[in-house]
Amino acid sequence: MFGSLIQKFKDTFRKAAPGLRKIFGKIGGIFAAKIDAATIEEIEEALYSADFGVETTTEILDEIRAAYRAEKELRGQDAAKIAATVLGRVLAGSEGVFTHDPGRKPEVIALIGVNGAGKTTTAAKLAWRLRQDGLGVVLGACDTFRAAANAQIETWAERLGVELVASQHGADAAAVAFDTVQAARARGREVAVLDTAGRLHTKGHLLEELKKIARVTAKLDPAAPHHRWLVVDGSLGSNSLEQARVFHEAFGVTGLIVTKLDGTSRGGALVGIYRSLKIPVYFVGLGEQPEDLQPFSKDAYIDALFGSEA
Ligand SMILES: Nc1nc2c(ncn2[C@@H]2O[C@H](COP(=O)(O)OP(=O)(O)O)[C@@H](O)[C@H]2O)c(=O)[nH]1
Ligand SMILES: [Mg+2]
C-alpha cells in the first residue's frame, strides 16, 4: 500500500514538472551527455518555470556552475543530483506530521485560504483520511458566506459518510465552529475539521471572521484551534507565497496543505513558501479523489523531480 502511494506521488510530480523532467530526464537519459553553458541555461529556465523561486533556483545554478567549472566532465545526472541535494537542504524540516493528541477533546483543525484553493474538498478528504486512521471526525461547514458552499460540503460528507455540522446560509460562521467543536466533544469524537470561507484575503473582514472563529472555539478549549492550516493552490506559483504571507501574518498559520499538484507544471511553489515562512507542509492534493490527499514526503517529492529513474 505504502509503495503504491509513493508511486502515485512520484508519478504525479513527474507529470507536474514536465519542463524540469524533460531537461534532466533528457540529459540523464543520455548518460554520456555533458553539461555545457547551453544546458545550464535550459536548466535555469526549467527551474524558473517550475516556480522554485529565485533564491533556490540561484543556489542550484551556482552549485551546478561551480561543479561545471571544477570538472568539465559534469553529466546531466550529476547536475540533477546537485539540484536534489540543494532542495533537500532547503526543505529540511518541511514535513508536517499529524498525530492526534488524545488530551485534546477534540483536536481542532481550521482550514483557511482564499476561494478556490481547495479548502472544502480538502476538509472532506482530510476527514475521510483521519477516519481511515481510526479517528472520529466531525466536519464543520463554517463557510456560511457562499450559498453553494453548504450543498458542496453536504454532498461530500454524505458521499464519504462523515458527520457534518452545518447551518443556514448567512449564519454566523463562528457559531457553526462553536457548534462543531461542541458536537465533537459531546459525541466523543477525536477531531473537528472546520471548513471556512475564503473571500479575498485582501478584505480585512475575512481575517476578522477567522479570528472570531478562533476566539469562539477557544472558549471550549483555550488552545483551540490547535491547527491553523492554510490551503493553497499549488498551481498558482509565486502568488501563493504572497497569500501565505498575508494569512500567516494575520492568523499564525501552523501548517500548509498544497492542492492541485496534479496537472500543474509549477509544482515548485511549496519550496518558496517553506523557504520563506518555514511552515511545514502536512498534506498535498494530488487529485480529486479522497485518497488523493497524501501526507507530504520531502524525499518522494525530490526524487520525483530529480530522480534519474523513468
Ligand atoms: N485536480 C485537483 N483539483 C482539486 C484539488 N483540490 C481541490 N480541487 C478542485 O478545486 C476546486 C475548488 O475546490 P474547493 O474545495 O471548492 O475550494 P475552496 O473554495 O477553497 O473551498 C474544486 O473543483 C475541487 O475539486 C486537487 O488536489 N487536485
Ligand atoms: Mg469552500
Side-chain angles (χ1 to χ4, degrees), residues 115 119-120 143 146 149 152 195-196:
N115 261 349
K119 292 179 299 301
T120 302
D143 180 358
R146 288 190 315 129
Q152 186 194 8
D195 179 30
T196 66

PDB file of all heavy atoms in Angstrom, residues 115 119-120 143 146 149 152 195-196, ligand 2:
ATOM      1  N   ASN A 115     -10.697  31.685  -1.792  1.00  0.00           N
ATOM      2  CA  ASN A 115     -11.676  30.938  -2.579  1.00  0.00           C
ATOM      3  C   ASN A 115     -11.003  30.125  -3.669  1.00  0.00           C
ATOM      4  O   ASN A 115     -10.110  30.622  -4.352  1.00  0.00           O
ATOM      5  CB  ASN A 115     -12.629  31.920  -3.275  1.00  0.00           C
ATOM      6  CG  ASN A 115     -13.920  32.043  -2.506  1.00  0.00           C
ATOM      7  OD1 ASN A 115     -14.187  31.264  -1.594  1.00  0.00           O
ATOM      8  ND2 ASN A 115     -14.723  33.013  -2.883  1.00  0.00           N
ATOM      9  N   LYS A 119     -10.177  24.254  -0.082  1.00  0.00           N
ATOM     10  CA  LYS A 119     -10.466  24.019   1.345  1.00  0.00           C
ATOM     11  C   LYS A 119     -11.567  22.988   1.568  1.00  0.00           C
ATOM     12  O   LYS A 119     -11.418  22.071   2.363  1.00  0.00           O
ATOM     13  CB  LYS A 119     -10.909  25.323   2.034  1.00  0.00           C
ATOM     14  CG  LYS A 119      -9.840  26.363   2.174  1.00  0.00           C
ATOM     15  CD  LYS A 119     -10.371  27.614   2.833  1.00  0.00           C
ATOM     16  CE  LYS A 119     -11.485  28.276   2.057  1.00  0.00           C
ATOM     17  NZ  LYS A 119     -11.144  28.687   0.688  1.00  0.00           N
ATOM     18  N   THR A 120     -12.691  23.193   0.879  1.00  0.00           N
ATOM     19  CA  THR A 120     -13.844  22.335   1.139  1.00  0.00           C
ATOM     20  C   THR A 120     -13.549  20.891   0.734  1.00  0.00           C
ATOM     21  O   THR A 120     -13.789  19.955   1.506  1.00  0.00           O
ATOM     22  CB  THR A 120     -15.081  22.876   0.388  1.00  0.00           C
ATOM     23  OG1 THR A 120     -15.305  24.217   0.836  1.00  0.00           O
ATOM     24  CG2 THR A 120     -16.306  22.031   0.661  1.00  0.00           C
ATOM     25  N   ASP A 143     -18.182  27.847   6.120  1.00  0.00           N
ATOM     26  CA  ASP A 143     -18.331  28.801   5.013  1.00  0.00           C
ATOM     27  C   ASP A 143     -19.816  29.059   4.842  1.00  0.00           C
ATOM     28  O   ASP A 143     -20.507  28.381   4.105  1.00  0.00           O
ATOM     29  CB  ASP A 143     -17.736  28.243   3.717  1.00  0.00           C
ATOM     30  CG  ASP A 143     -17.874  29.233   2.557  1.00  0.00           C
ATOM     31  OD1 ASP A 143     -18.467  30.324   2.772  1.00  0.00           O
ATOM     32  OD2 ASP A 143     -17.392  28.935   1.453  1.00  0.00           O
ATOM     33  N   ARG A 146     -21.014  31.710   1.115  1.00  0.00           N
ATOM     34  CA  ARG A 146     -21.474  31.346  -0.228  1.00  0.00           C
ATOM     35  C   ARG A 146     -22.643  30.383  -0.122  1.00  0.00           C
ATOM     36  O   ARG A 146     -22.594  29.403   0.615  1.00  0.00           O
ATOM     37  CB  ARG A 146     -20.341  30.680  -1.009  1.00  0.00           C
ATOM     38  CG  ARG A 146     -19.251  31.655  -1.428  1.00  0.00           C
ATOM     39  CD  ARG A 146     -18.282  31.014  -2.400  1.00  0.00           C
ATOM     40  NE  ARG A 146     -17.876  29.676  -1.971  1.00  0.00           N
ATOM     41  CZ  ARG A 146     -17.920  28.603  -2.746  1.00  0.00           C
ATOM     42  NH1 ARG A 146     -18.347  28.688  -3.998  1.00  0.00           N
ATOM     43  NH2 ARG A 146     -17.519  27.434  -2.298  1.00  0.00           N
ATOM     44  N   ALA A 149     -21.950  26.740  -0.816  1.00  0.00           N
ATOM     45  CA  ALA A 149     -20.922  26.070  -0.012  1.00  0.00           C
ATOM     46  C   ALA A 149     -21.494  24.922   0.812  1.00  0.00           C
ATOM     47  O   ALA A 149     -20.904  23.844   0.893  1.00  0.00           O
ATOM     48  CB  ALA A 149     -20.227  27.083   0.892  1.00  0.00           C
ATOM     49  N   GLN A 152     -22.213  21.867  -1.277  1.00  0.00           N
ATOM     50  CA  GLN A 152     -20.975  21.188  -1.679  1.00  0.00           C
ATOM     51  C   GLN A 152     -20.429  20.312  -0.554  1.00  0.00           C
ATOM     52  O   GLN A 152     -20.107  19.135  -0.774  1.00  0.00           O
ATOM     53  CB  GLN A 152     -19.928  22.243  -2.070  1.00  0.00           C
ATOM     54  CG  GLN A 152     -18.656  21.655  -2.631  1.00  0.00           C
ATOM     55  CD  GLN A 152     -17.515  22.687  -2.682  1.00  0.00           C
ATOM     56  OE1 GLN A 152     -17.650  23.796  -2.169  1.00  0.00           O
ATOM     57  NE2 GLN A 152     -16.406  22.309  -3.284  1.00  0.00           N
ATOM     58  N   ASP A 195     -14.165  23.841   7.970  1.00  0.00           N
ATOM     59  CA  ASP A 195     -14.017  24.428   6.639  1.00  0.00           C
ATOM     60  C   ASP A 195     -14.453  25.885   6.759  1.00  0.00           C
ATOM     61  O   ASP A 195     -15.462  26.175   7.387  1.00  0.00           O
ATOM     62  CB  ASP A 195     -14.926  23.665   5.658  1.00  0.00           C
ATOM     63  CG  ASP A 195     -14.847  24.235   4.249  1.00  0.00           C
ATOM     64  OD1 ASP A 195     -13.782  24.763   3.871  1.00  0.00           O
ATOM     65  OD2 ASP A 195     -15.861  24.145   3.527  1.00  0.00           O
ATOM     66  N   THR A 196     -13.692  26.788   6.190  1.00  0.00           N
ATOM     67  CA  THR A 196     -14.043  28.210   6.360  1.00  0.00           C
ATOM     68  C   THR A 196     -14.236  28.897   5.014  1.00  0.00           C
ATOM     69  O   THR A 196     -13.928  28.330   3.964  1.00  0.00           O
ATOM     70  CB  THR A 196     -12.944  28.976   7.136  1.00  0.00           C
ATOM     71  OG1 THR A 196     -11.754  29.000   6.340  1.00  0.00           O
ATOM     72  CG2 THR A 196     -12.659  28.333   8.481  1.00  0.00           C
TER      73      THR A 196
HETATM   74 MG    MG B   2     -15.144  26.123   0.076  1.00  0.00          MG
END
